[in-house]
Amino acid sequence: MKIRKISFLAGFLMFAAVITQVAEAQDRTAVVNAFNEGVEMVQAGENIAAIEKFEETLNLAESVDGTDDIQDRVRSQIPQLHWRHAVELYRASNLDGAIEAFQETITAAEHYGDENTKARAAGNLPRLYLSKGNSLYRNGDHAAALEAYNGALELNPNYPRAIYQKGLVYRQQDNLEGALEQFDLAINMSLNANDMEMVERASGAAEDYLVYLGANSTQDENYSRALELLERAISYDESSAEAYYRLAEAHNHLGNWNEAIANGTQALEYEDGGRADQAKIWFEMGMAYKNQENEPQACESFQNAAFGSFQSPAEHELEHELNCAQASR
């Protein structure tokens, strides 16, 4: 009787072991099948579907012995698939989608311990926010563009291109001091990074803006404001022919003949254009010399100014306001 019981127990245990082995084999097969389906999705470029299938594979494999190699391969793949998906969205010009996808890439990379992919994704996000801001800026949505640039700077505070773009937004919003503050920041940051191309762009933007406002102030007969703005423009570009010309113009309106001539001389020194570009400068100098009653110099200046759109007013001065024939003897 005891022998029969022992035999029955041994047979039961053997049967249970066989069932367990069969179950484990089935579980591993399910894991392998899920993994292979994921690989096929990767090969087909179905990155999101592959991510979902690989996550399913991990869930299946957690309770199955002998699947460590599959789990390791899956964990190394998931962050890279997030990366590929983000890149695809960027190439399709879906900036909002790409930004979200790169953020998800960072989260996945942190979860699976992929520091390299995390760093790559984190490095791309500021540039994506910059691209988004530039697109919004070109479309005239300045408030949204500013928000995008701030998004870039939250991720990378030392990003002179985003700072420069903020300056352009403030310029469009007629915020002079805000724009110059951003341009100055971009200039200083770029100097430290030896990025002279960015230094030149930010300096040029500041100078152009100040010259534009200075010229408008002269038209509005606010000459003291014009002088202030134009002097600030020269602090960004000491060889700005346009700034010196506008200073000569403003000084002529104020009756500062010597200053008009001095700034006109500087403008001619830095002007690298043709006769049409020089004519306006010569005309301002002619007016200053005329008011100083220096006819020889006035005649010479107006003769040089008699070109293009300044030909008619210069000839009027030569023929009707001055005795240039006598002055030339």
Side-chain angles (χ1 to χ4, degrees), residues 52-273:
E52 293 173 354
K53 182 56 66 174
F54 281 151
E55 288 174 343
E56 177 188 329
T57 303
L58 283 177
N59 289 333
L60 290 170
E62 282 178 356
S63 58
V64 179
D65 293 334
T67 60
D68 290 348
D69 58 333
I70 294 176
Q71 292 184 53
D72 288 343
R73 291 177 67 182
V74 167
R75 290 191 179 97
S76 69
Q77 283 291 312
I78 290 176
Q80 294 180 36
L81 289 169
H82 277 286
W83 166 269
R84 291 180 191 174
H85 175 59
V87 170
E88 284 179 355
L89 291 171
Y90 172 71
R91 288 175 177 168
S93 299
N94 183 350
L95 291 177
D96 286 328
I99 288 170
E100 182 179 354
F102 274 117
Q103 289 169 335
E104 290 172 354
T105 302
I106 292 171
T107 301
E110 287 177 343
H111 181 72
Y112 294 109
D114 187 343
E115 291 300 321
N116 183 51
T117 301
K118 176 185 174 182
R120 290 169 69 198
N124 272 274
L125 270 175
R127 290 193 287 272
L128 286 173
Y129 275 109
L130 178 68
S131 295
K132 178 181 178 179
N134 291 347
S135 177
L136 291 165
Y137 176 78
R138 287 191 294 269
N139 291 331
D141 192 346
H142 299 136
L146 196 60
E147 185 177 342
Y149 296 139
N150 285 332
L153 291 167
E154 284 176 13
L155 295 167
N156 181 8
N158 299 314
Y159 197 6
R161 293 182 184 274
I163 294 168
Y164 164 76
Q165 290 295 143
K166 281 184 68 175
L168 296 182
V169 171
Y170 287 135
R171 185 175 69 178
Q172 289 295 326
Q173 295 175 337
D174 296 323
N175 182 349
L176 171 62
E177 298 306 326
L180 293 181
E181 181 181 3
Q182 298 303 310
F183 291 145
D184 288 344
L185 225 91
I187 291 166
N188 293 330
M189 203 172 286
S190 299
L191 281 170
N192 291 334
N194 200 29
D195 183 355
M196 301 314 295
E197 185 268 340
M198 192 69 247
V199 170
E200 186 175 342
R201 285 176 65 184
S203 299
E207 182 252 335
D208 286 346
Y209 188 26
L210 287 163
V211 169
Y212 168 77
L213 293 176
N216 285 349
S217 294
T218 296
Q219 289 180 358
D220 295 337
E221 300 183 2
N222 189 349
Y223 304 122
S224 59
R225 176 64 172 163
L227 294 178
E228 175 193 343
L229 292 166
L230 295 166
E231 291 289 354
R232 290 179 74 179
I234 289 172
S235 71
Y236 288 97
D237 182 3
E238 293 180 355
S239 61
S240 172
E242 186 68 15
Y244 282 113
Y245 159 67
R246 294 296 181 179
L247 279 169
E249 182 183 46
H251 278 300
N252 263 341
H253 283 288
L254 288 168
N256 301 330
W257 318 125
N258 287 333
E259 288 82 354
I261 293 166
N263 281 285
T265 302
Q266 288 286 84
L268 286 172
E269 179 182 343
Y270 295 124
E271 180 57 66
D272 54 6

Side-chain angles (χ1 to χ4, degrees), residues 3-42:
I3 293 173
R4 290 182 62 190
K5 286 183 178 180
I6 291 171
S7 298
F8 174 78
L9 179 60
F12 177 79
L13 291 173
M14 289 177 63
F15 177 76
V18 170
I19 293 297
T20 300
Q21 289 173 359
V22 171
E24 288 178 351
Q26 289 175 338
D27 288 344
R28 179 173 173 79
T29 299
V31 172
V32 171
N33 288 340
F35 174 75
N36 287 336
E37 288 177 28
V39 170
E40 289 176 2
M41 291 171 181
V42 171

